[in-house]
Amino acid sequence: MKIAFCIQEDKGKESILDSRFGRSPGFLIYNTEEDEAKYITNKQNLNAAQGAGVQSAQNIVNEKVDVLITRNCGPKSFSILLEAGVEVYLSKDSSVQIALDKFNKNELTKSGNSNVEGHW
Amino acid sequence: MLKVIGKMDIAIASGKGGTGKTTLSVSLTLSLQALTNKKVRLLDCDVEEPNSHLFLSVKSKTIEDGWVESCEFDAEKCTGCNKCVEACRFNAIAIVKKKPIFFSDLCHGCGGCVLACKFDVIKSVNRKIGKIVTKEGNNVILRYGVLNIGEIASPPLIKQVQISDPEIGLTIIDSPPGTSCSMVTSVEKADFVILIAESTAFGLNDLEIAVETVKGLHKSFGVVINRDGAGDDRVEQYCKKESIEILARIPDSLNVAKHYSNGKIAWGIDKEFTSNIDGLATKIIKRFSL
Ligand code: SF4
Ligand code: SF4
């Protein structure tokens, strides 16, 4: 299973989680079977005038991710992730490791809806 | 830049709403019409809340569709190549499992994706987003747009309100409040901009932002102080310091406000107000030899 996290800079599982999804500087994609983490940049979206969430969701979908762990997710991003079958879990934790532990213990809430209004 | 509209176009703008912009636009239109005895056009570009028509005795002439260029997808044919996503600078498309997901409210109708798609999936279409109403009466032509509820992109509709008419000598453009892209679209083509402000702390702050915006657009402009006497003299001081011309001072008047709330414009009714507006109109007529 592949799990994506919104992070500020790549420090493997010690990476700090970013509070944004659309404008997260990058994503850490953790492969649970191989216990391997890969970083993908989302920099092109930091300055996007609009639709950053759409592009971020597309990036996540292109990586064939199964689960996204994020603090926030807007309606447009959510609709794309839903279509792609990516499950969205909400976490306000500080690092990838903490959020991952909670996810494994089933302590994170699965989001059935976008939790923030988009702004475009 | 493409010069437009009529021979002389004057935009009226303010940093925020509720500064008497509608009152000024409508009364200046009426005054200019009366003093020149020529046809004057008023373009109400506040497509989210057009209200000039409530204050003018004009009759409906035409109603047109307001539209924006958009796209349509023939999803069956999509191969999932992602070329359209890469081509769209506005992030309006996502492709999931060879299925396009299109966010029409993000689309600017640039046609980039239509060119990028080699599989004939996407075509350009016009999507209706509102209507444009033209009314006429007493040598005044009023044109305004009404944006459908839920639509967010007013600039395309504003551009359709601002249809060119080289026959018309004078056009007044009532710009939407604020300094958003709707305001920029509205004043972009004007020859001269009148900024209306109240002399309060907030009023000055909004004015300063509006001044920066019109300076950025390289427009000549002047300021009208509304409800003069109700605030302090900070707008006066600011204009002096920045060498900005004060075109008129419209005194604070309960009478003017009363007329407005009764759906009437004080021009032609309230003596003092009328002479102030006529003074401004005369200045404009002289300056631009109308
Ligand atoms: S027309 Fe332009 S803005 Fe609209 S979806 Fe296509 S590329 Fe994007
Ligand atoms: S470019 Fe055309 S075929 Fe390719 S993903 Fe987009 S719509 Fe589908």
Side-chain angles (χ1 to χ4, degrees):
Chain A
M1 179 169 56
K2 281 186 180 174
I3 308 176
F5 300 86
C6 310
I7 60 167
Q8 294 173 353
E9 78 182 290
D10 183 16
K11 289 185 183 150
K13 283 197 238 174
E14 297 310 313
S15 303
I16 306 294
L17 294 181
D18 198 272
S19 62
R20 300 156 299 178
F21 172 62
R23 292 179 200 278
S24 169
F27 300 111
L28 192 81
I29 317 256
Y30 175 64
N31 188 322
T32 53
E33 280 95 39
E34 286 154 30
D35 188 24
E36 252 175 30
K38 166 181 155 190
Y39 178 76
I40 61 165
T41 176
N42 192 41
K43 279 221 178 76
Q44 77 278 18
N45 270 339
L46 284 179
N47 298 318
Q50 60 167 42
V54 172
Q55 189 59 48
S56 293
Q58 181 77 65
N59 287 343
I60 294 293
V61 171
N62 290 352
E63 291 295 323
K64 305 213 168 13
V65 161
D66 304 286
V67 169
L68 167 71
I69 295 179
T70 178
R71 185 178 293 196
N72 293 306
C73 184
K76 288 191 166 77
S77 315
F78 193 82
S79 68
I80 296 166
L81 297 167
L82 187 73
E83 188 68 40
V86 178
E87 295 185 355
V88 178
Y89 285 83
L90 300 177
S91 147
K92 289 185 178 163
D93 297 302
S94 56
S95 76
V96 168
Q97 187 65 63
I98 298 170
L100 186 62
D101 289 345
K102 284 198 187 167
F103 175 76
N104 286 333
K105 285 191 252 166
N106 262 330
E107 284 173 10
L108 294 183
T109 341
K110 184 171 163 183
S111 172
N113 225 318
S114 59
N115 72 327
V116 286
E117 277 300 308
H119 36 85
W120 45 76
Chain B
M1 188 190 302
L2 195 66
K3 169 66 183 106
V4 217
I5 317 190
K7 287 183 186 123
M8 179 70 206
D9 311 314
I10 298 173
I12 297 178
S14 65
K16 71 163 175 62
T19 50
K21 203 166 48 61
T22 302
T23 307
L24 181 62
S25 306
V26 172
S27 41
L28 191 59
T29 302
L30 293 171
S31 172
L32 286 164
Q33 195 287 315
L35 295 173
T36 58
N37 201 22
K38 286 182 194 149
K39 218 171 236 184
V40 177
R41 224 162 47 131
L42 172 59
L43 305 177
D44 186 347
C45 292
D46 191 355
V47 298
E48 280 166 53
E49 244 185 319
N51 58 359
S52 304
H53 60 282
L54 302 174
F55 302 99
L56 284 167
S57 53
V58 281
K59 283 205 187 79
S60 241
K61 239 182 95 188
T62 56
I63 297 176
E64 303 148 54
D65 279 349
W67 46 265
V68 63
E69 285 181 25
S70 183
C71 303
E72 238 170 51
F73 292 75
D74 184 355
E76 297 287 297
K77 291 199 231 161
C78 177
T79 63
C81 73
N82 246 40
K83 288 279 183 253
C84 55
V85 174
E86 289 159 26
C88 182
R89 288 185 293 131
F90 301 102
N91 295 327
I93 315 171
I95 299 288
V96 175
K97 300 178 191 154
K98 300 188 182 174
K99 192 180 149 210
I101 302 177
F102 175 56
F103 298 99
S104 61
D105 57 341
L106 296 183
C107 174
H108 287 225
C110 68
C113 58
V114 180
L115 289 174
C117 180
K118 299 280 171 269
F119 302 93
D120 208 18
V121 177
I122 317 173
K123 69 170 196 246
S124 293
V125 292
N126 288 342
R127 192 169 64 84
K128 196 181 163 201
I129 55 165
K131 60 179 180 182
I132 314 284
V133 183
T134 308
K135 295 187 174 182
E136 197 171 344
N138 302 326
N139 248 346
V140 169
I141 301 176
L142 170 70
R143 208 172 142 81
Y144 63 96
V146 186
L147 193 66
N148 287 346
I149 290 166
E151 294 291 345
I152 51 163
S154 23
L157 202 61
I158 292 171
K159 285 182 188 153
Q160 289 158 69
V161 172
Q162 295 185 332
I163 190 177
S164 290
D165 188 344
E167 295 301 306
I168 298 287
L170 185 61
T171 302
I172 300 293
I173 301 167
D174 185 356
S175 148
T179 48
S180 60
C181 49
S182 315
M183 183 267 200
V184 171
T185 308
S186 304
V187 306
E188 210 167 29
K189 290 169 173 175
D191 300 289
F192 188 77
V193 182
I194 298 175
L195 296 174
I196 176 163
E198 288 177 7
S199 198
T200 60
F202 287 123
L204 177 58
N205 183 46
D206 292 328
L207 176 64
E208 284 172 343
I209 299 168
V211 165
E212 288 314 309
T213 308
V214 290
K215 275 190 182 162
L217 292 167
H218 306 291
K219 297 287 165 196
S220 33
F221 66 97
V223 167
V224 167
I225 302 178
N226 194 32
R227 300 190 53 220
D228 190 33
D232 42 33
D233 67 345
R234 62 181 86 211
V235 165
E236 198 93 28
Q237 297 298 340
Y238 164 74
C239 290
K240 203 168 166 190
K241 194 176 104 235
E242 299 287 321
S243 321
I244 297 169
E245 180 184 10
I246 297 177
L247 298 160
R249 295 169 182 81
I250 301 171
D252 188 32
S253 153
L254 197 61
N255 213 2
V256 172
K258 256 192 205 153
H259 284 305
Y260 187 82
S261 61
N262 290 331
K264 285 201 182 84
I265 288 293
W267 184 86
I269 310 174
D270 183 284
K271 236 185 178 166
E272 192 192 9
F273 180 78
T274 307
S275 83
N276 271 305
I277 296 292
D278 287 350
L280 173 62
T282 309
K283 217 180 239 182
I284 291 170
I285 292 168
K286 278 206 188 118
R287 170 142 350 151
F288 303 110
S289 356
L290 297 166

